[in-house]
Amino acid sequence: MLNLERLRVLHAVATTGSVVGAARLLHVTTSAVSQQMARLEQETGAHLVERQGRGIRLTEAGTLLADQAAELLAQVERVMTTMAQHRGEVTGNLTIAAFPTAARGLLPPALRALRSRYPDLTVSAREQEPSDAIPAVRRGLLDLAVVEDWIDDPLALPQGLEHRTLLDDTYDIALPPDHRLAGRATLSLADLGDEDWITSSDGQLCHGWLVRSLEQARITHTAAEHPTQIALVAAGLGIAIIPHLGREPTAAPVRFVPLADAPRRRVFAIWRSTSAARPSVGVVIDALIEACPA
């Protein structure tokens, strides 16, 4: 009898293409992945991986087993979903990921409510960018994820995933209190063409929006976390565009001014269609909706 968890490891190796990628998705060490693969080879009596340069690739036998493992894992999930739906009980283990501001703004109240209402449900949360979380949900390595996109630039989700919008999040411009525009009631992009900008790293939503909207934007500092961006603004080092979600009260001397025609991002939850009927998935989505600010 093949071990289901080892098949999950093989599935992760197959879908990421490496031991390192599988370890990152499964949140285990690379040695743990290698050990599980070695044991799976012993169980099957076949070589499943082979060296390719500095990495590995699946052998023909490994590819065949990985394809079968994907089908088996999907079938197992359908069976478990059917049984959970039949019992109507909110029990078991569930994993969820969220991008940083949602992890800070939505997960704490949602997880607190779930722990109070459903003591037999264990929810494990992690902070993860949508680029990693979406494939992890599709591959069965996460049960749900909270992701984001721009409303005018919607994200294309892979087949087999369902979603529900949680909220539309808007942005303000953060300025040092002594900035020449700090007293304005609203601002437009035309007012901000000559400013030094503080924004997220290249590849993230805000950075991409800024580059598209202001072709000559002078990006002087980048930081992944909005609190860090706000601290840099408070130090007088530039201005930033900051979302409402996850914006904590700050003692830093910063003035937030609404931006006319500000970008809006859609924050939504995603999960696999095969798990949609699980009672635990439904109550987590409800808790996320309740946690959204009015």
Side-chain angles (χ1 to χ4, degrees):
M1 179 70 70
L2 294 178
N3 182 284
L4 190 61
E5 288 308 311
R6 288 172 195 149
L7 290 177
R8 291 188 192 278
V9 171
L10 174 63
H11 181 52
V13 170
T15 52
T16 62
S18 70
V19 169
V20 173
R24 185 180 299 117
L25 282 173
L26 297 171
H27 285 258
V28 298
T29 64
T30 54
S31 61
V33 171
S34 298
Q35 289 170 10
Q36 293 285 56
M37 289 297 296
R39 290 171 183 166
L40 189 57
E41 288 187 329
Q42 291 175 355
E43 290 178 348
T44 59
H47 292 294
L48 303 177
V49 295
E50 59 187 7
R51 290 287 180 184
Q52 184 178 42
R54 294 185 177 180
I56 63 168
R57 68 177 180 182
L58 295 181
T59 63
E60 183 177 351
T63 300
L64 178 63
L65 183 58
D67 291 342
Q68 295 295 318
E71 295 178 14
L72 176 61
L73 292 171
Q75 182 61 29
V76 168
E77 181 169 53
R78 284 191 289 269
V79 170
M80 296 302 293
T81 296
T82 300
M83 294 306 298
Q85 186 180 22
H86 175 72
R87 292 192 306 268
E89 298 173 351
V90 181
T91 61
N93 301 306
L94 186 143
T95 56
I96 183 171
F99 62 93
T101 49
R104 184 168 59 249
L106 296 182
L107 289 191
L111 295 178
R112 183 176 61 244
L114 289 166
R115 185 171 64 176
S116 172
R117 296 171 189 168
Y118 307 105
D120 294 326
L121 175 66
T122 300
V123 181
S124 299
R126 68 183 66 158
E127 186 177 289
Q128 200 168 36
E129 291 292 345
S131 57
D132 292 325
I134 291 172
V137 172
R138 184 175 63 84
R139 295 166 184 155
L141 304 173
L142 286 169
D143 294 300
L144 297 102
V146 180
V147 300
E148 61 178 340
D149 66 8
W150 291 125
I151 288 178
D152 58 355
D153 185 19
L155 188 67
L157 290 177
Q159 286 187 342
L161 296 185
E162 298 184 16
H163 74 277
R164 181 166 178 178
T165 300
L166 301 177
L167 77 157
D168 293 342
D169 195 21
T170 56
Y171 287 73
D172 294 329
I173 298 297
L175 303 163
D178 57 354
H179 192 280
R180 61 185 178 83
L181 299 174
R184 296 276 292 273
T186 60
L187 293 169
S188 67
L189 282 177
D191 300 321
L192 307 171
D194 295 328
E195 299 294 330
D196 291 330
W197 284 88
I198 299 158
T199 189
S200 54
S201 305
D202 189 13
Q204 295 185 311
L205 281 179
C206 284
H207 190 286
W209 173 85
L210 184 58
V211 171
R212 290 195 307 271
S213 301
L214 285 175
E215 294 182 2
Q216 304 302 318
R218 250 186 350 260
I219 298 175
T220 55
H221 304 284
T222 61
E225 296 291 337
H226 291 118
T228 306
Q229 296 176 24
I230 291 172
L232 292 169
V233 171
L237 300 174
I239 68 173
I241 182 164
I242 303 294
H244 286 204
L245 179 64
R247 185 191 301 173
E248 302 155 342
T250 176
V254 170
R255 164 87 166 123
F256 292 104
V257 180
L259 177 66
D261 297 323
R264 288 189 300 147
R265 66 176 175 180
R266 181 181 59 152
V267 179
F268 54 102
I270 63 169
W271 60 92
R272 288 179 302 285
S273 300
T274 52
S275 67
R278 285 173 60 186
S280 57
V281 170
V283 300
V284 169
I285 295 168
D286 289 343
L288 288 170
I289 292 172
E290 290 177 13
C292 292

